[in-house]
Amino acid sequence: MKSIRKTYNDGYLQYGQTETGRSETGKRIGNVFVEEGRLAYSEQSCREQDYQMADVMSRSLDMKVKTPLPPNYRSFSRKRVKVSGVTFDVIKVDADRSNDELYLYLQEVGS
């Protein structure tokens, strides 16, 4: 039996949260992305039903990626992802536990 190796060769994404940056006096100076980890990813094509799902949620779907399931995976709710320096909100996550993969539906921050 030949083993099938999955490839995630489109690059690496960073996932984490955005926190409020503060100066030494406690004044708000902006948002800071705090990285919690990195994952290799493979960009996927978006289907019509993916766009409809985002539309129902009053969001826009800008990118869909497939990643391996991280070992400490709990949830990607309220997470942000950085891909090639561009920050995205995670609007939905589909976990495929049989293949140990995650499908992340992303909306670019500011769009």
Side-chain angles (χ1 to χ4, degrees):
M1 181 183 274
K2 192 175 189 179
S3 71
I4 299 173
R5 184 172 291 206
K6 298 174 187 119
T7 59
Y8 307 98
N9 56 2
D10 286 338
Y12 287 92
L13 60 83
Q14 303 166 325
Y15 64 92
Q17 297 184 13
T18 303
E19 296 180 356
T20 303
R22 304 245 179 225
S23 67
E24 292 178 7
T25 60
K27 190 172 187 179
R28 184 177 191 268
I29 57 173
N31 293 329
V32 178
F33 181 77
V34 179
E35 181 182 333
E36 296 175 3
R38 297 180 125 206
L39 293 170
Y41 75 93
S42 175
E43 191 169 351
Q44 301 292 296
S45 60
C46 300
R47 303 170 296 178
E48 182 61 33
Q49 65 191 33
D50 297 333
Y51 289 115
Q52 290 173 357
M53 173 271 310
D55 191 42
V56 166
M57 298 170 65
S58 299
R59 307 293 290 267
S60 67
L61 181 62
D62 295 320
M63 184 182 238
K64 178 180 171 184
V65 296
K66 176 175 67 170
T67 68
L69 187 69
N72 57 352
Y73 172 70
R74 288 191 194 111
S75 172
F76 266 86
S77 64
R78 303 167 109 191
K79 297 276 188 214
R80 289 215 167 155
V81 170
K82 271 184 138 178
V83 178
S84 301
V86 179
T87 305
F88 294 91
D89 281 328
V90 178
I91 59 174
K92 185 179 177 194
V93 178
D94 276 340
D96 184 0
R97 297 210 185 260
S98 63
N99 291 327
D100 292 330
E101 295 176 324
L102 291 178
Y103 291 90
L104 304 176
Y105 298 83
L106 308 174
Q107 177 182 11
E108 187 173 345
V109 172
S111 65

